[in-house]
Amino acid sequence: MIHFVLLIVCAAVIYLACEWFVNAVEWLGQRLKVGPLAVGTILAAFGTALPESVVTFVAVVFGTSDAQKDIGVGAAMGGPLALATVAYGVTGWMMLARRRRLRANAAVPARVGGPEAATVRPEDEVGDLGKLARDQRWFLAIFVVKVALGLVAFAIKPWLGLLFFAAYAVYFWREIRGGGEHGDGADLAPLLLQRRRAVPATWAVIIQTLVTLAVIFAASQLFVHQLDTIGPMLGLPAAVTALLLSPIATELPEIMNAVIWVRQGKTSLALANISGAMMIQATVPSGLGLLFTPWRFDTALLISGIATMIAIVYLLALLRAGKFNAKTLSVAGVFYLAFAASLIPVLA
């Protein structure tokens, strides 16, 4: 029972730490004078992608066996899959829940938030869909190359990992320059570390950001370890834990951030955080994997890559057809269930 209790405690700690993290990172973006979308795609994404990136780095660089290096490759493939399916699906579900709450408030104007809810339009929730589409096309192009390289072998293949780092550098520079105009902080909630100050001290912003990142990292790693222990107890094969459960655990910070930001009415930041984290997952762990492992895919890894690409194609189709909304976005989670079902005959 101790492992199940620790699992629940870790999830609660990650959620609370993410509450403090998103509060701090918005102030950090204001202090660094970056646009609001860059707060999600760069600052928040870098922090929340840290746990799974470290898993890949430790496994492929310091792993001494093929099994350890395979864990790193699995993390590099499982992360984008969880983001493209579960994270977007949870965002859609939270958008639906928020919309129902706003409509309920609008029906009872005397309640707090009623007049505001009456003026909220669905299109105001998601921000710049054109930019989201560009980010997903950028991700899909890189991811297709990433999967294709897992099917072939040639002499200079490891050195192509450097190109993945360069791709993220280009994306980083583009986001910093095109993240929109930064605000003056007037619309931000008070920093939780200095609740009584309208404008917090810079040192407080930095400390809150770093401490919450450390808590998120530690709790995420403990969460993964509990899953690794509980899986065999439930009779689940190690492959199921590695490909299905561990990616959810390592992507839990992005999922929690999506829940928090959508609940606060900042869905554009939630979507930016997911798309930014996906770009990190498509490039940095892949570059490490190419440099330090053979980067050859088995059937399960190939299926995970195909499932991720199908999910992104679905998202791009919604954006192109103008049907991107809470209901259609929530369907993204189904692709993860389909992937799980497709693994049954492979693992059997």
Side-chain angles (χ1 to χ4, degrees):
M1 286 299 297
I2 188 63
H3 296 291
F4 285 98
V5 171
L6 283 174
L7 199 68
I8 296 172
V9 170
C10 287
V13 169
I14 291 172
Y15 180 84
L16 293 175
C18 285
E19 284 265 17
W20 285 64
F21 174 72
V22 298
N23 171 253
V25 80
E26 290 184 54
W27 278 107
L28 183 62
Q30 189 269 337
R31 291 301 169 86
L32 295 177
K33 300 186 184 304
V34 301
L37 288 182
V39 169
T41 57
I42 298 298
L43 298 181
F46 180 81
T48 55
L50 183 64
E52 57 268 30
S53 298
V54 170
V55 168
T56 302
F57 176 77
V58 172
V60 302
V61 176
F62 299 105
T64 56
S65 66
D66 291 340
Q68 290 175 319
K69 292 184 180 294
D70 287 344
I71 291 175
V73 176
M77 291 299 294
L81 173 63
L83 289 171
T85 55
V86 178
Y88 275 130
V90 169
T91 301
W93 299 333
M94 287 303 300
M95 290 167 64
L96 287 172
R98 179 172 181 269
R99 187 174 301 173
R100 285 194 293 268
R101 185 176 71 251
L102 293 177
R103 287 174 178 172
N105 290 344
V108 186
R111 293 174 57 184
V112 176
E116 175 191 359
T119 63
V120 173
R121 300 191 304 273
E123 59 266 30
D124 293 334
E125 298 180 352
V126 294
D128 186 356
L129 292 183
K131 181 185 181 306
L132 180 62
R134 290 192 297 272
D135 284 351
Q136 298 309 301
R137 286 194 294 267
W138 186 293
F139 167 83
L140 184 60
I142 294 174
F143 195 81
V144 168
V145 175
K146 169 180 176 174
V147 173
L149 289 174
L151 305 177
V152 297
F154 49 92
I156 65 170
K157 177 179 171 180
W159 296 104
L160 296 182
L162 299 177
L163 295 180
F164 283 82
F165 297 137
Y168 184 73
V170 172
Y171 175 80
F172 179 92
W173 179 250
R174 188 191 69 172
E175 290 299 298
I176 290 295
R177 295 191 62 185
E181 294 295 328
H182 62 86
D184 57 4
D187 58 337
L188 300 182
L191 188 74
L192 293 176
L193 196 60
Q194 294 185 328
R195 300 171 189 266
R196 296 184 179 181
R197 295 188 58 170
V199 180
T202 301
W203 66 263
V205 174
I206 295 174
I207 288 179
Q208 183 171 319
T209 302
L210 295 179
V211 170
T212 52
L213 272 180
V215 173
I216 290 171
F217 174 75
S220 297
Q221 297 305 303
L222 186 57
F223 193 98
V224 172
H225 291 320
Q226 301 317 304
L227 284 179
D228 291 339
T229 303
I230 291 173
M233 290 180 179
L234 299 177
L236 297 176
V240 172
T241 303
L243 287 173
L244 289 179
L245 302 183
S246 294
I248 297 295
T250 54
E251 304 304 332
L252 202 56
E254 286 90 348
I255 296 172
M256 293 298 189
N257 280 0
V259 171
I260 294 166
W261 264 325
V262 175
R263 182 168 52 81
Q264 294 177 352
K266 301 175 181 179
T267 305
S268 60
L269 279 177
L271 294 172
N273 185 194
I274 296 172
S275 65
M278 289 176 67
M279 281 301 304
I280 295 177
Q281 288 300 307
T283 53
V284 178
S286 304
L288 291 171
L290 283 164
L291 286 172
F292 295 101
T293 74
W295 196 255
R296 294 299 300 271
F297 290 177
D298 57 17
T299 303
L301 288 175
L302 181 58
I303 293 175
S304 71
I306 293 173
T308 303
M309 290 187 284
I310 291 175
I312 296 301
V313 169
Y314 168 75
L315 182 64
L316 288 172
L318 293 180
L319 292 167
R320 183 178 180 85
K323 296 182 179 180
F324 184 91
N325 54 55
K327 289 183 179 180
T328 55
L329 186 60
S330 61
V331 176
V334 175
F335 292 104
Y336 199 76
L337 298 178
F339 166 69
S342 68
L343 280 185
I344 295 175
V346 175
L347 297 176

